């Protein structure tokens, strides 16, 4: 259980950091983890609605990065 949580935090941080670099958004580690986790939910929802699924850690990171990029884009438009 603890190992799974640690893996989720690491993948969330990696996804959030990657999305931040892609979208040229600055943020600290906590913000990146939050963006990665929220992005994972958003990306999973979007890809599920499209009928597309990915497996493994790489697929999880890919879905999370896409979702986090979308979250960054929406938040940047709302907070403008």
């Amino acid at each position: 259980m603890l190992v799974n949580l640690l893996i989720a935090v690491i993948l969330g941080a990696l996804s959030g950091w990657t999305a931040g670099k892609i979208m040229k958004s600055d943020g600290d580690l906590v913000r990146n983890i939050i963006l990665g986790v929220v992005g994972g939910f958003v990306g999973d929802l979007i890809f599920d609605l499209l009928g597309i699924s990915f497996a493994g850690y790489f697929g999880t990171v890919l879905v999370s990065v896409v979702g986090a990029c979308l979250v960054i884009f929406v938040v940047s438009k709302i907070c403008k």
Side-chain angles (χ1 to χ4, degrees), residues 9-58:
V9 169
I10 291 170
L11 290 178
L14 176 65
S15 301
W17 178 82
T18 304
K21 294 297 181 188
I22 291 170
M23 300 298 289
K24 296 180 179 23
S25 172
D26 294 329
D28 58 0
L29 180 62
V30 173
R31 181 173 180 249
N32 289 342
I33 292 171
I34 292 169
L35 281 175
V37 172
V38 171
F41 286 117
V42 171
D44 190 48
L45 177 67
I46 290 170
F47 283 107
D48 191 42
L49 289 173
L50 295 173
I52 302 171
S53 63
F54 294 94
Y57 293 130
F58 179 75

